[in-house]
Amino acid sequence: MKKHPVYLLIACICTMACINQLHSQDLPNILWITSEDNSAFLGCYGDEFANTPNLDKLAREGFLYTHAYANAPVCAPARNTIISGIYANSGGHSNMRSNYPRGSQVKFHVEAMRELGYYTTNSVKTDYNTNVNKEVWDECSSDAHYKNAPKGKPWFAIFNTTITHESKIHDQLPISELSHDPKKVPIAPYHPRTPDMERDWAQYYDRIQQMDAFVGQRLKELEDSGMADNTIVIYYADHGGVLARSKRYVYETGTHVPFIVRIPEKYKKFWPAKEPNSKVDRLISFVDLYPTLLNLVGADVPEQLQGEAFLGENISPDPKYAYMFRDRMDEWYDMSRAVRSKKYRYIHNYMPHRIYALPIEYLFRAKSLQSWQTAYENGECNEIQSAYWNTKPVEELYDTDNDPWEINNLAKDPKYADILEEMRAANSMWLTNIKDTGFMPEDERTIRAKDQAIFDYFQSGKVPIEEIIEAAELASFGKIENKRKMVEFLKSKESAIRYWGATGLLLLGEKGKSEIAALKKAIDDPSVSVAVVAAESLYRLGEKEEAYEGFLRALKTDREFAQTQAMNSIYLIDDNSQLLKEEVVNTLKRMKTLDRNQYNYRAAMNLVNKWGLNIN
């Protein structure tokens, strides 16, 4: 008898439902446990001072990655890279705490996992540095939990802890309450051994011990749920930290993170080594997490993603390098890019005229850093400890095997010239390939992108990114033989190239004095960002009146990031004029809100406090 089409349809639906249910049951649950602001100060990583029994046990049961890196040394850009699978300096989200819209074709990993049938939960931090937040999750709150997943549905869950966050050393505990002895704590060689430095280091180790207990609770909870045999567990920190010169800096201490994976016997085919309790030396970084998630569940990896899958059945070959970036940190502009091989780290500082220790308000809340500054000002620091308070070299190169704290810069050592050149070229190629948005000043790119996402604008082909990067690299070296080239850059139709031309003359200092006329003309540049750099250069060359004109242009724009850029320069030139004092105060008065989380407000208050002004 011929069956009616309706019955055939019902039979087909039932068959597909059974197939989907079976497929769902075969898919692994995925549990991410993340901590904040901590480097690999764990027993399983060889730190004998640390007390981390739960993470040590997880490492014995799983696989410990020795070369895992955050692409940014601070939370919001790092988390944006994780969830988007696109480097935040490519996506337009590399500046700390910005809220620019994500690209029109950018889909977060959680959205992809939901489309694949996963129940998704996040407890509780988002901090994605863009305009999309909790709405992408099935649950995103302090109560979010995989136990709420519908029966038979695979889940992807994140539990985040702030126990090791930077803020946890801002208030010092009584020494009697510390488990780790400040007098016995090992500290970095670039830190002076002040009482406050010892105390913060010891307290930090205490926080790591407490974080380890949190991880232990989450793992026990998983065991008690009966789902451990069907769950891949991944633990990692969102970047390094947290004592000064770690978080926010593209060194090992800011970017190298602990990363441990436990994969049940059921999914043995995904093991990255023959047996658990193994170390894996593959270079991985946060941009790789999204494609890895998809690969673990057998889904196709979109070409738009910029990382490579390192777990699953179809993993990519081991990469030669991992890449990192640093742009605006809170209210202070700076710019560095880094390349890490298994042995060496290369850093290119594009603003070498800025000291390492820029007075970031939040960073300087730590008493350990305050004591370091006092020791430096009192002449109590050696050469290694003093370097943090000085301007940066353009390039840094470190042999991390033999110099794990990265204090011996090999960039000018002729024995390493070939390595330097190779890693410099790798950096340039990466920046060009991803169309790094950080090479255009923040104020300028927000004006030019208009209502378009910055990622879309840069990917559209409207920005001559290769020429801009070439200009930036040439300018950053501050060589006298390139002086005329900098003047030519100031005549370019591209504002970002003009910006780097002005920066190159600023870096030349007195050697660029013959180009004062070009700098004065740049004060009236259509781009305020160019005018601010020209103003700083003119001020340092003794042309104060024209410099004031450039700074006032920026302060009167009522645009947050133009004001912030100008106030950074004003702070560092040590100007004490009544004209700039009055305009900074007027800028504060014009602000719609006085919020310490607003960076032009913080930049203004830095100046107000430096000048000792009473603005009440």
Side-chain angles (χ1 to χ4, degrees), residues 512-526:
K513 199 163 188 174
S514 60
E515 306 304 333
I516 282 180
L519 287 167
K520 287 183 177 180
K521 187 174 182 179
I523 291 296
D524 296 317
D525 192 279

Side-chain angles (χ1 to χ4, degrees), residues 76 79-80 122 124-129 132-134 137 140:
R79 289 171 181 270
N80 178 274
N122 182 48
V124 61
K125 187 166 182 173
T126 52
D127 203 16
Y128 304 138
N129 225 34
V132 182
N133 198 29
K134 295 183 177 182
W137 297 88
C140 186

Side-chain angles (χ1 to χ4, degrees), residues 220-235:
K220 183 179 185 303
E221 191 173 51
L222 178 64
E223 293 291 336
D224 293 344
S225 73
M227 292 185 278
D229 290 341
N230 198 48
T231 302
I232 295 174
V233 177
I234 299 178
Y235 160 76

Side-chain angles (χ1 to χ4, degrees), residues 62-83:
F63 306 90
L64 181 150
Y65 282 78
T66 59
H67 290 81
Y69 292 93
N71 300 108
V74 71
C75 53
R79 289 171 181 270
N80 178 274
T81 301
I82 291 170
I83 201 165

Side-chain angles (χ1 to χ4, degrees), residues 243-261:
L243 280 292
R245 195 191 178 266
S246 56
K247 179 179 179 179
R248 302 183 183 86
Y249 297 89
V250 287
Y251 291 120
E252 284 291 286
T253 48
T255 61
H256 183 231
V257 295
F259 196 99
I260 304 169
V261 179

Side-chain angles (χ1 to χ4, degrees), residues 499-515:
Y499 168 84
W500 287 109
T503 299
L505 292 177
L506 170 61
L507 290 171
L508 280 172
E510 288 292 327
K511 295 177 181 178
K513 199 163 188 174
S514 60
E515 306 304 333

Side-chain angles (χ1 to χ4, degrees), residues 45-114:
Y45 276 89
D47 193 318
E48 296 179 357
F49 197 71
N51 185 10
T52 53
N54 295 292
L55 285 165
D56 297 348
K57 181 174 181 288
L58 184 67
R60 289 193 299 272
E61 297 170 346
F63 306 90
L64 181 150
Y65 282 78
T66 59
H67 290 81
Y69 292 93
N71 300 108
V74 71
C75 53
R79 289 171 181 270
N80 178 274
T81 301
I82 291 170
I83 201 165
S84 70
I86 292 170
Y87 293 101
N89 55 321
S90 176
H93 308 289
S94 58
N95 288 309
M96 180 59 178
R97 290 279 149 66
S98 50
N99 196 40
Y100 303 115
R102 64 175 174 175
S104 58
Q105 302 302 313
V106 174
K107 179 190 296 183
F108 287 172
H109 64 44
V110 58
E111 295 169 301
M113 294 296 279
R114 287 178 76 176

Side-chain angles (χ1 to χ4, degrees), residues 4 56 61 88 127 160 185 235 304 346 355 414 417 420 489 525:
H4 193 280
D56 297 348
E61 297 170 346
D127 203 16
N160 181 80
V185 66
Y235 160 76
Q304 185 173 336
Y346 168 82
I355 65 172
L420 180 73
F489 286 163
D525 192 279

